[in-house]
Amino acid sequence: MKIILVLLETQWIIRLMFAYTLTDEQNLHTSLLTGYNRDLRPGYDRNKPLGINASFYLFSINDFDLNTGKFTITGVFLLNWNDERLSWNPATYNQGNTTSIPQKKIWLPNFINVNPFKDIKGLGSDLITVDVDYSGLCSWYAVQAFEVICDPDVTKYPFDTQYCALKFFIWGYDKTAVNLYFESSRVILTLYSENGIWEITDSTTHKQLHFHGNEEFVVGFHLKRRTDYYIASLILPISSISLLLGFVFLLPAESGERVGFATTILLSTVVYLTIIQGKLPEASEPNMSILGYILVSYVLSGTILVVFVIISLRIQNSPCDKPIPGIFVRFVVCCRRKRKMVDVKDIDSKSTIFKEDEDSQVTWKDVGTYFDLVCFFISVIQFMVTVTVYFSLVCA
Amino acid sequence: MKIILVLLETQWIIRLMFAYTLTDEQNLHTSLLTGYNRDLRPGYDRNKPLGINASFYLFSINDFDLNTGKFTITGVFLLNWNDERLSWNPATYNQGNTTSIPQKKIWLPNFINVNPFKDIKGLGSDLITVDVDYSGLCSWYAVQAFEVICDPDVTKYPFDTQYCALKFFIWGYDKTAVNLYFESSRVILTLYSENGIWEITDSTTHKQLHFHGNEEFVVGFHLKRRTDYYIASLILPISSISLLLGFVFLLPAESGERVGFATTILLSTVVYLTIIQGKLPEASEPNMSILGYILVSYVLSGTILVVFVIISLRIQNSPCDKPIPGIFVRFVVCCRRKRKMVDVKDIDSKSTIFKEDEDSQVTWKDVGTYFDLVCFFISVIQFMVTVTVYFSLVCA
Amino acid sequence: MKIILVLLETQWIIRLMFAYTLTDEQNLHTSLLTGYNRDLRPGYDRNKPLGINASFYLFSINDFDLNTGKFTITGVFLLNWNDERLSWNPATYNQGNTTSIPQKKIWLPNFINVNPFKDIKGLGSDLITVDVDYSGLCSWYAVQAFEVICDPDVTKYPFDTQYCALKFFIWGYDKTAVNLYFESSRVILTLYSENGIWEITDSTTHKQLHFHGNEEFVVGFHLKRRTDYYIASLILPISSISLLLGFVFLLPAESGERVGFATTILLSTVVYLTIIQGKLPEASEPNMSILGYILVSYVLSGTILVVFVIISLRIQNSPCDKPIPGIFVRFVVCCRRKRKMVDVKDIDSKSTIFKEDEDSQVTWKDVGTYFDLVCFFISVIQFMVTVTVYFSLVCA
Amino acid sequence: MKIILVLLETQWIIRLMFAYTLTDEQNLHTSLLTGYNRDLRPGYDRNKPLGINASFYLFSINDFDLNTGKFTITGVFLLNWNDERLSWNPATYNQGNTTSIPQKKIWLPNFINVNPFKDIKGLGSDLITVDVDYSGLCSWYAVQAFEVICDPDVTKYPFDTQYCALKFFIWGYDKTAVNLYFESSRVILTLYSENGIWEITDSTTHKQLHFHGNEEFVVGFHLKRRTDYYIASLILPISSISLLLGFVFLLPAESGERVGFATTILLSTVVYLTIIQGKLPEASEPNMSILGYILVSYVLSGTILVVFVIISLRIQNSPCDKPIPGIFVRFVVCCRRKRKMVDVKDIDSKSTIFKEDEDSQVTWKDVGTYFDLVCFFISVIQFMVTVTVYFSLVCA
Amino acid sequence: MKIILVLLETQWIIRLMFAYTLTDEQNLHTSLLTGYNRDLRPGYDRNKPLGINASFYLFSINDFDLNTGKFTITGVFLLNWNDERLSWNPATYNQGNTTSIPQKKIWLPNFINVNPFKDIKGLGSDLITVDVDYSGLCSWYAVQAFEVICDPDVTKYPFDTQYCALKFFIWGYDKTAVNLYFESSRVILTLYSENGIWEITDSTTHKQLHFHGNEEFVVGFHLKRRTDYYIASLILPISSISLLLGFVFLLPAESGERVGFATTILLSTVVYLTIIQGKLPEASEPNMSILGYILVSYVLSGTILVVFVIISLRIQNSPCDKPIPGIFVRFVVCCRRKRKMVDVKDIDSKSTIFKEDEDSQVTWKDVGTYFDLVCFFISVIQFMVTVTVYFSLVCA
């Protein structure tokens, strides 16, 4: 019995003797960090650049404010490099071949975002540890929120696509000292949770030369706005109200409600504009948003329509004894003839007979009726043209 | 007398001699922390994972912004683990068997939230001390506010339910190194003070495999919006105003106020929309909110109704000598017959006699009256259908 | 002459010799802080709790946001305790019997707010020094802004009263280790500058048992909203506009402006609502605000009144030959009789003669006139009832 | 030649030998700061207070939020005092008689703002250095933004004047230890850039006794709001619209647009109110703003006017056979007589003849005409009184 | 074979022997920083100022808030100076002639922004390293966001130009100690990404004397607002609506919609104002924005026009038997004559015959017609004058 216990004990002691223990790890840390100067990059031969392997996982797009150009995302950088000062012989430490060291105790690539919206910020935080294996391979997973400047182009709002890029420098090291390369030419989206407003159509990770010969590392996103909300909530309602304004000319002139109709619909347009103006970006660079021009055209064409309504009412209310200008008479006759040609194509013989009579019977009321019709069609055509032009510009 | 004093004194000295004193605790701290390396996890045998026992108490849900997906809560994590380096023999320190050590002086599990809205943040703060007992058992109560990303689904707004989760990694330690398990499978709500907008229907605390083989620790909440406010303040008023618009067809045609009524009610709809649009999230992912479509349908059906009002007025104002199309005549006759069948079922004999006469007497005014009736019913039915479809979609 | 100088000099030297000098204070600091471990609480005998004397002076209430439940105040905590390690013999230091030591160099009670809105925060700042006298009595004046969670009850808004509390723990010390007691059972308001919106009706400072047997220290405020602004700016205007809507039935039916009146007033109600909705909290817990229901009732009763206006117009415009239902006839006759009874009580004989005649003369116009009167009174009564119910609920 | 070079060299060496060099300054710093304890105030004799000379230069007023009482300014404090520990003999250091030392290395007066809006903050920052000359005179220029609590009085808004003060303590030192005095009794405005909204009418810097016998240092500002914007944008437009409402009684009764006029103008008042309500502070302490009452009176008098419009219309539409109450007849006759007295003063004889006739001819229309006139004058007078009362209250 | 290997090995060893290695750089750092006091500026001879070469690259203008005067930009400062303490002999370190040192380890010019919006901030951050070459030349690239106070002049809004400057001091060093000069007299815009609202028309970098004899370093921007958005979205719509109001006088008097037209258009003006008021700065210093006055004039002239509409209606509705004042008769006759003179210049003979007759036939209706015409022209002229005055003031 005793022997078994002794054996078990011995076995345990032996296992511990050859196992990686707390003491081993403590000795390892002491040995690695003693004399370690974290201000100096790894690489014994200073003439050979240090290779760093990078990939970027996007977590989420938090915000993109078109007015200020502030683009906020959260993601994680995975950087791997080899620091020979942090290599050891596992045999010395009972086969302990990995450890993790707080990031502030060892050298880190000074990977700094150079188009920040506010102050510059390094990667990671004091909470993060770097995984190190016995060969000196360091793996740094740096979770970070980035606020960068992104110059938006609001011309096609809300059908806009945007390109936003995070730009990084490795401060203090030019390309002869550090050679960072991206593992993938795209941002890795496996951990991405979709943004409600923006869709990522494409992304890029690359490096480019820039600014006093330094290398710039770019993580870029091509974004496309999801337009459902904007079509349904902004464009459809105000367009339908704007179109409605032209129908004032179909209102019977006798109803005495034409002006009320026109002004109230104009007011509705103005009220609806208050919602949209609050959402439209103020920026006019490179262009003002086309939608802004459309909205203005709605208000302006609204006021012009109201003026035409007044003119129409003046025509209808003209005293009978006031002579009708010849141009109006010819215009009415012309309209009538066209109508008749459609109506009574086969009784041509008769119509020519009464033609002269009808022409002489043109009253102010007739002029008003045809004036209304023309205004109605013009307003509808103007609306169609505006919409067509808008969508052709936006889709171009 | 003197003896008593001496005895009392002696007793006091003895009590102090055997009592846990400031000096004892100071010696204890010195002894525990000398040579302690807080970068290394407890556990002598590195091949055995360190067990950590966790529970999460929710204090409050502070905010959940559907537009940005920012979910903010305050709560406390209770973590227990055993650090053999912090164990001692109470006898050595006059039965002092507990102490508390500032959190920055000892090893702590690197429990880091990996779906933060902004930068990552560790647990606790320098103010917090860890309770340690003589066996090395550490108890860490870390009060914290968390801002995490939560991808909302606004489809059923304001009848939406959401699932938001806080995700944690233990940075630098895989599951062979640290084995954290939740004591309860739910968030503990004994300290929770209710949120005014969101109700917690269920919660979960569990771990799952994720991201390069790491274990992810999840604290999840199933939330249900309290809908009283939204029904009373948003849906009821705009629905009643929208429904009111159909009543324009019941207004006597002679009143001359139909167009004014329709346009002012349409304007009211638009004004009310300004409140709701400010509250509706812009997100269109995975779907735009159905309520957004309903609101648009209110505006669109409003403009269509106004067009119908104009048509009705044109019918009523048609000159008597203009012939009525056959389809309108048949339609009026058909309506009349139906009515009569309801009114005079038992005097069938008479009705057949006058039928022919009545048909020939159809005037434009009659057409207008029945047109109004049909429009009224269509508008009411359309409203009912919209509401029914909405609630069936939302409750599905 | 020389002697006097020598004497003066000597006197000065003597005064300095026996005066408390910079050197004395420097020696004192060195002596006190050498070997001082600020992680350990004062109290030689660990079995006796350390007594701490606390009082709270409120400076101001900065903000109370009903939507998020964030309650922000600024105040100062005065804490006194005895740290025997900081006691000295004044004689040794030329009668220097007080000094002040930066708070980060000595032990402080770990007084931590446990219902913070964001992260937990300790008291004081590195700028603050603790006054210490020779007996070891420490006086700590910690000025602080606190942001805490306060669960509001919006039911009676804007006539609401709220109770908000700051809750504190002394982290790491249970009641056997530290015994904190408040000097006063109320918050001290001598330094308070009044808040414009909230009035403090009562306050409390006490301790209570809580959470794993710890003691919780509570600084509570009973708040009452100042209602002048809300009555004058919100309730009076919308109520008067809502009441005005009923007067539509007093408008002469011939004016042809009834519908315009009703819809424009309804629109004004809706517009006014936009102001108030922006101020109403969205919370529905424990109840939605009664005011929210009142506002909805204004809009709903407004739409119903508009429907009644339409019905009234239909009655007035009914063709003369359409038979009047018996119930309307009886209703008109009944109304007339009542009126007459008031008018001509003493000529009873005559009235009975003409009664039959009058009954037969009931026209649609008469029905409309009495229908209007009834609607007017119903709308006024409904308004009165709503207001009465509201104030009885709010004052209950 | 060589000699010249040697001489130049020697000269240069000599100049350097006697010049203040880097080495000198380094030695100086080492000598000054060795053994320097920055926790202790200067002053060898602890019984004599340390004199500190202060002045405050205002840079700008950044913000003053009436709702929260947050007052934000930026300025610079200039503090001078004598620290004998930092004095040296310039001769020892080659006539080096000034140096500058980072503020965190030497003692600074613990000048702390005690009415902060958020947390307390000390002066200066680690970036700032203190200029020290050989006599030990320290000059500290501390640029700082201050956010303080300022209890506003909104009674006279927007014609209000406010008094806001920054209050400071020197923490840990009573007046027997430190004696701070302001050089000027006013804030120095030479570096001030004007604020767009607030004008500084006066300022003060003084000290006063306060709070447990400590001295409080006050930097106070008397502010006056620039009223151009508020008169032009808020008060003029709403007043003119409100006044316009009374003109409804001048509209010909036959126009059939009186009610439409009154309700639309009332609606405009309500809409305009939405702008102003957003700017009006909610505070009701010590009083609600008088402007708030004026706005309410506009809405209330608007609703009352609408009721009078309805009454006027009822009078005008009264059937001819309905008897006119005696009081109305007398009122009309009275009005007519007054008019006539103005018109036909010299044909008195005739007028008395027709008097009786005219009195008997009073119709409902006449009553309505005079009722309108009276209402018009009452509304104008009421408006005038309101405006007069407002400005007399505001200017009082 | 072996020989070749040996040779290669030797070569490699030799290359390493003479190459700049990690060890060399570590020795270099140790040697440079030992005894280095970063509180002391470079320059052995303290009587010679240290030359610093500066240039400023602008990245972006983030925000310029006219209400608070907060101007936010992001850019990079490039500063070069010579620190002889950081010079070395490259030969000693195997030709290693450059290194980079973290900014917190060496002396930096204390370049501090002295017109900050909040607290003062130094340049750079702990992440940034300074490039140093063997001659001691230090190159510091400090990326920074600056929030400064900029006193805006809103007089010409939205056609305003602004001048904003960042002001810097080198704290603790007067011009005898440090001599900073800008390399370019302009801000370098090669890295600038355009701001959507502001255009940089000019920029300046210079130094000037200021504040107690210190030198102030100024980086100034002349900004011009891009006006497309403001013209299209603000000025055009409200101007067209305001102009429309005058057309009320062209509405036939019989239409019975004049008052409705005028009030609804006035309401639209008021509604549109709500958008613009939200954007207009409240500041009245040095002047209120002219646009603010224009907007007020729109509302005021609107109310006056409404009063004129009422007067016109009273004229039209005057009873025929009421005598027309002589001035009106003369006015109508005068108008008619002018018209006729245009119409019938050549039939002068006839017109003089009927003149007398026509004059006697002046009716109230005629007066109304000409009154309307005059009002219309006055309103149009008043509008033109307002617009002309505005643009002449803005462009002046």
Side-chain angles (χ1 to χ4, degrees), chain A residues 35-48 67-69 83-85 110 112-123 149 151 171-173 210-212 214 256-261 263-264 266-267 270-271 273-274 277-278 280-285 287-288 292-293 296 299-300 302-304 306-307 309-310 313-314 317, chain E residues 15-16 19-23 25-26 29-30 33 57 59-63 72 74 76 78 99-100 102 105 121 124-125 127-129 131 141-147 157 191 193-197 225-230 232-234 236-237 240-241 244 247-252 254-255 257 260-261 264-265 267-268 271-272 274-275 279:
Chain A
Y36 187 98
N37 184 342
R38 69 181 300 264
D39 296 340
L40 302 175
R41 72 163 176 92
Y44 189 71
D45 181 354
R46 295 328 242 177
N47 295 318
K48 282 203 298 186
N67 279 312
T68 56
D83 190 341
E84 68 267 43
R85 291 171 292 180
N110 218 347
I112 287 173
N113 175 232
V114 290
N115 63 337
F117 188 76
K118 292 214 161 167
D119 290 331
I120 65 162
K121 224 170 34 171
L123 285 194
I149 302 159
D151 192 18
W171 219 266
Y173 301 101
H210 179 68
F211 191 50
H212 289 223
N214 282 308
E257 299 201 82
R258 281 196 166 188
V259 170
F261 179 87
T263 51
T264 311
L266 183 61
L267 178 57
V270 166
V271 167
L273 224 68
T274 61
Q277 293 275 27
L280 265 194
E282 284 190 23
S284 317
E285 199 277 332
N287 291 301
M288 210 190 100
Y293 288 115
V296 172
V299 174
L300 293 187
T303 55
I304 290 165
V306 172
V307 172
V309 168
I310 291 172
L313 278 180
R314 285 186 77 86
N317 280 304
Chain E
R15 232 194 80 212
L16 267 189
Y20 183 41
T21 63
L22 180 57
T23 320
E25 198 167 359
Q26 192 152 355
H29 273 233
T30 311
L33 297 177
Y57 290 77
F59 283 177
S60 68
I61 295 173
N62 299 356
D63 192 25
T72 317
T74 307
V76 64
L78 270 70
T99 190
S100 75
K105 294 204 169 166
K121 224 169 37 171
S125 88
L127 297 161
I128 290 179
T129 56
D131 289 334
Y141 297 53
V143 179
Q144 200 79 24
F146 296 100
E147 283 187 4
Y157 175 91
L191 303 172
S193 60
E194 280 290 339
N195 181 274
I197 295 169
R225 188 186 291 273
R226 297 177 203 277
T227 53
D228 292 11
Y229 171 82
Y230 301 93
S233 298
L234 303 187
L236 263 187
S240 67
I241 289 171
L244 190 59
F247 283 82
V248 68
F249 295 108
L250 295 191
L251 251 184
E254 308 85 45
S255 69
E257 297 201 82
F261 179 87
T264 311
I265 297 298
L267 178 56
S268 302
V271 167
Y272 216 96
T274 60
I275 313 179
K279 292 184 186 284

Side-chain angles (χ1 to χ4, degrees), chain A residues 36 38 40-43 49-55 77-87 101-111 123 128-142 170 177-181 183:
Chain A
Y36 187 98
R38 69 181 300 264
L40 302 175
R41 72 163 176 92
L50 171 73
I52 299 178
N53 185 343
S55 27
F77 261 106
L78 270 69
L79 299 175
N80 294 298
W81 66 91
N82 211 296
D83 190 341
E84 68 267 43
R85 291 171 292 180
L86 299 178
S87 62
I101 304 177
Q103 78 165 42
K104 69 182 167 195
K105 295 204 169 166
I106 63 172
W107 180 88
L108 298 170
N110 218 347
F111 206 62
L123 285 194
I128 290 180
T129 55
V130 180
D131 289 334
V132 183
D133 83 352
Y134 68 93
S135 67
L137 180 72
C138 299
S139 305
W140 187 31
Y141 296 55
I170 298 190
V178 164
N179 175 25
L180 185 141
Y181 48 93
E183 221 168 40

Side-chain angles (χ1 to χ4, degrees), chain A residues 15-16 19-23 25-26 29 57 59-60 62 74 76 78 99-100 102 105 121 125 127-129 131 141-145 147 191 193-197 225-226 228-230 232-233 236-237 240-241 244 247 249-252 254-255 257 260-261 264-265 267-268 271-272 274-275 279, chain B residues 35-37 39-48 67-68 84-85 110 112 114-122 149 151 171-173 210-212 214 256-260 263-264 266-267 270-271 273-274 277 280-285 288 292-293 296 299-300 303 306-307 310 313-314 317:
Chain A
R15 232 193 79 212
L16 267 188
Y20 184 40
T21 63
L22 180 58
T23 319
E25 198 167 359
Q26 191 151 356
H29 273 233
Y57 290 77
F59 283 177
S60 67
N62 299 356
T74 307
V76 64
L78 270 69
T99 189
S100 76
K105 295 204 169 166
K121 224 170 34 171
S125 87
L127 297 161
I128 290 180
T129 55
D131 289 334
Y141 296 55
V143 178
Q144 200 79 23
E147 283 187 4
L191 303 172
S193 59
E194 280 290 338
N195 180 273
I197 295 169
R225 188 186 291 272
R226 297 177 204 276
D228 291 11
Y229 171 82
Y230 302 93
S233 298
L236 263 186
S240 67
I241 289 172
L244 189 59
F247 282 82
F249 295 107
L250 295 191
L251 251 184
E254 308 84 44
S255 70
E257 299 201 82
F261 179 87
T264 311
I265 297 297
L267 178 57
S268 301
V271 167
Y272 215 95
T274 61
I275 313 178
K279 292 184 186 284
Chain B
Y36 187 98
N37 184 343
D39 296 341
L40 303 176
R41 71 162 175 94
Y44 190 71
D45 182 354
R46 293 330 238 178
N47 295 317
K48 283 204 296 186
N67 279 312
T68 56
E84 68 267 40
R85 289 171 293 179
N110 218 347
I112 288 173
V114 289
N115 63 338
F117 189 76
K118 291 212 160 170
D119 290 331
I120 66 162
K121 225 171 34 173
I149 303 159
D151 191 18
W171 219 266
Y173 300 102
H210 180 68
F211 191 51
H212 288 224
N214 283 308
E257 298 199 81
R258 281 197 167 189
V259 170
T263 52
T264 311
L266 183 61
L267 177 57
V270 166
V271 168
L273 223 68
T274 61
Q277 293 274 28
L280 265 195
E282 284 190 24
S284 316
E285 199 277 333
M288 210 189 100
Y293 288 113
V296 173
V299 174
L300 293 187
T303 56
V306 172
V307 172
I310 292 172
L313 278 180
R314 284 186 77 85
N317 280 304

Side-chain angles (χ1 to χ4, degrees), chain D residues 65-355:
Chain D
D65 184 340
L66 289 196
N67 279 313
T68 55
K70 178 170 138 187
F71 177 64
T72 317
I73 65 163
T74 306
V76 64
F77 261 106
L78 269 70
L79 300 174
N80 293 297
W81 66 92
N82 211 295
D83 189 341
E84 68 267 41
R85 288 171 294 178
L86 299 177
S87 62
W88 68 90
N89 183 357
T92 323
Y93 301 96
N94 281 322
Q95 311 310 323
N97 47 25
T98 61
T99 190
S100 76
I101 303 177
Q103 78 166 42
K104 70 182 167 196
K105 294 202 168 164
I106 63 172
W107 180 88
L108 298 171
N110 218 347
F111 207 61
I112 288 174
N113 175 232
V114 289
N115 63 337
F117 188 76
K118 291 211 162 171
D119 289 332
I120 65 162
K121 226 171 34 172
L123 285 194
S125 88
D126 285 358
L127 297 161
I128 290 180
T129 55
V130 180
D131 290 333
V132 183
D133 85 352
Y134 68 93
S135 67
L137 180 71
C138 299
S139 303
W140 188 32
Y141 297 54
V143 179
Q144 200 79 23
F146 295 100
E147 283 187 4
V148 302
I149 302 160
C150 180
D151 191 19
D153 179 352
V154 300
T155 317
K156 297 189 176 175
Y157 175 91
F159 300 95
D160 47 342
T161 56
Q162 306 286 351
Y163 174 72
C164 284
L166 283 68
K167 295 174 186 168
F168 295 89
F169 277 179
I170 297 189
W171 219 266
Y173 301 100
D174 58 17
K175 63 179 175 177
T176 65
V178 164
N179 175 26
L180 186 143
Y181 47 93
F182 284 103
E183 223 170 36
S184 157
S185 67
R186 284 203 160 60
V187 171
I188 304 167
L189 297 176
T190 48
L191 303 172
Y192 179 58
S193 61
E194 280 290 338
N195 180 274
I197 295 169
W198 296 98
E199 192 193 329
I200 299 177
T201 54
D202 197 7
S203 65
T204 175
T205 52
H206 64 271
K207 54 185 176 181
Q208 61 191 32
L209 272 183
H210 179 65
F211 191 48
H212 287 226
N214 282 308
E215 262 183 338
E216 193 180 57
F217 304 93
V218 176
V219 175
F221 299 93
H222 292 272
L223 303 169
K224 198 170 161 306
R225 188 186 291 272
R226 296 176 204 277
T227 53
D228 292 11
Y229 171 83
Y230 302 92
I231 293 174
S233 298
L234 303 186
I235 295 179
L236 262 187
I238 199 166
S239 296
S240 67
I241 289 172
S242 178
L243 176 60
L244 191 58
L245 193 47
F247 282 82
V248 69
F249 295 107
L250 294 190
L251 252 184
E254 308 84 46
S255 68
E257 297 201 82
R258 280 197 166 188
V259 170
F261 179 88
T263 51
T264 312
I265 297 297
L266 183 61
L267 177 56
S268 302
T269 311
V270 166
V271 168
Y272 215 97
L273 224 67
T274 61
I275 313 178
I276 303 182
Q277 293 275 26
K279 292 185 187 283
L280 264 195
E282 284 189 24
S284 317
E285 199 277 333
N287 290 302
M288 210 189 101
S289 69
I290 305 171
L291 187 62
Y293 288 113
I294 298 295
L295 295 177
V296 172
S297 84
Y298 284 167
V299 174
L300 293 188
S301 69
T303 56
I304 290 165
L305 278 188
V306 172
V307 172
F308 276 106
V309 168
I310 292 173
I311 293 171
S312 167
L313 279 180
R314 285 185 78 86
I315 291 173
Q316 306 254 13
N317 280 305
S318 291
C320 303
D321 53 349
K322 198 171 154 191
I324 303 170
I327 189 155
F328 283 179
V329 175
R330 272 193 299 280
F331 162 70
V332 170
V333 170
C334 173
C335 291
R336 273 191 190 152
R337 224 174 285 169
K338 265 190 189 150
R339 268 210 169 174
K340 225 160 271 166
M341 277 160 71
V342 179
D343 290 356
V344 284
K345 275 184 191 161
D346 31 29
I347 41 165
D348 265 349
S349 49
K350 279 186 184 174
S351 69
T352 44
I353 300 171
F354 295 111
K355 216 184 77 177

Side-chain angles (χ1 to χ4, degrees), chain D residues 12 15-16 19-23 25-27 29-30 33 57 59-63 70 72-74 76 78 99-102 104-105 121 124-131 140-147 157 191 193-197 225-234 236-238 240-241 244 247-252 254-258 260-261 264-265 267-269 271-272 274-275 279, chain E residues 35-48 67-69 83-85 110-123 149-152 169 171-174 210-212 214 255-261 263-268 270-271 273-275 277-278 280-289 292-293 295-296 299-300 302-304 306-307 309-311 313-315 317:
Chain D
W12 188 73
R15 233 193 80 214
L16 269 188
Y20 184 41
T21 63
L22 180 56
T23 320
E25 197 167 0
Q26 191 151 354
N27 293 337
H29 272 234
T30 312
L33 297 176
Y57 291 76
F59 284 178
S60 67
I61 295 173
N62 299 357
D63 192 26
K70 178 170 138 187
T72 317
I73 65 163
T74 306
V76 64
L78 269 70
T99 190
S100 76
I101 303 177
K104 70 182 167 196
K105 294 202 168 164
K121 226 171 34 172
S125 88
D126 285 358
L127 297 161
I128 290 180
T129 55
V130 180
D131 290 333
W140 188 32
Y141 297 54
V143 179
Q144 200 79 23
F146 295 100
E147 283 187 4
Y157 175 91
L191 303 172
S193 61
E194 280 290 338
N195 180 274
I197 295 169
R225 188 186 291 272
R226 296 176 204 277
T227 53
D228 292 11
Y229 171 83
Y230 302 92
I231 293 174
S233 298
L234 303 186
L236 262 187
I238 199 166
S240 67
I241 289 172
L244 191 58
F247 282 82
V248 69
F249 295 107
L250 294 190
L251 252 184
E254 308 84 46
S255 68
E257 297 201 82
R258 280 197 166 188
F261 179 88
T264 312
I265 297 297
L267 177 56
S268 302
T269 311
V271 168
Y272 215 97
T274 61
I275 313 178
K279 292 185 187 283
Chain E
Y36 188 97
N37 184 344
R38 69 181 300 264
D39 296 340
L40 302 177
R41 71 164 177 92
Y44 190 70
D45 182 353
R46 296 327 242 177
N47 295 318
K48 282 204 296 187
N67 280 312
T68 56
D83 189 341
E84 67 267 42
R85 290 171 292 179
N110 218 347
F111 206 61
I112 288 174
N113 175 232
V114 289
N115 63 337
F117 188 75
K118 292 212 160 171
D119 290 331
I120 65 162
K121 224 169 37 171
L123 285 194
I149 301 159
C150 179
D151 192 19
F169 277 179
W171 219 265
Y173 301 101
D174 58 17
H210 180 68
F211 191 49
H212 288 226
N214 282 308
S255 69
E257 297 201 82
R258 281 196 165 187
V259 170
F261 179 87
T263 51
T264 311
I265 297 298
L266 183 62
L267 178 56
S268 302
V270 166
V271 167
L273 223 68
T274 60
I275 313 179
Q277 293 275 27
L280 264 195
E282 284 190 24
S284 317
E285 199 277 332
N287 290 301
M288 209 189 102
S289 69
Y293 288 114
L295 295 178
V296 172
V299 174
L300 292 187
T303 55
I304 290 164
V306 172
V307 172
V309 168
I310 291 173
I311 293 170
L313 278 180
R314 285 187 78 85
I315 291 173
N317 280 305

